[in-house]
């Protein structure tokens, strides 16, 4: 299953993707969004759609 890949050079740590994730799989680590609970992730793509800077892709 595809999991989100976050471009660390793109991410500003705004937290929008974290709020958008229905299973709380993402957290801020050193002010960058990180998939800290990959087993929870369903690959739904909500974080991808939510990021205003398009820093996340599923892959
Ligand atoms: S793909 Fe869905 S479940 Fe996985 S981190 Fe993004 S919003 Fe959460
Ligand atoms: S929504 Fe985008 S810019 Fe904001 S924390 Fe998530 S990946 Fe980073």
């Amino acid at each position: 299953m595809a999991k989100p890949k976050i471009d660390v050079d793109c991410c500003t740590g705004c937290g929008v993707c974290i709020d958008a994730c229905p299973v709380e799989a993402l957290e801020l680590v050193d002010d960058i969004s990180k998939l800290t609970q990959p087993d929870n992730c369903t690959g739904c793509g909500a974080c991808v759609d939510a990021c205003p800077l398009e820093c996340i892709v599923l892959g």
Side-chain angles (χ1 to χ4, degrees):
M1 180 194 306
K3 298 286 169 84
K5 305 252 187 280
I6 300 152
D7 181 341
V8 297
D9 294 322
C10 173
C11 178
T12 62
C14 72
V16 169
C17 58
I18 292 165
D19 292 341
C21 178
V23 295
E24 299 182 2
L26 299 166
E27 287 180 276
L28 283 186
V29 177
D30 294 333
D31 294 329
I32 300 292
S33 179
K34 185 167 184 184
L35 183 67
T36 55
Q37 304 291 337
D39 291 346
N40 288 0
C41 176
T42 62
C44 71
C47 55
V48 176
D49 294 340
C51 180
L53 300 177
E54 300 183 4
C55 300
I56 312 177
V57 294
L58 289 183

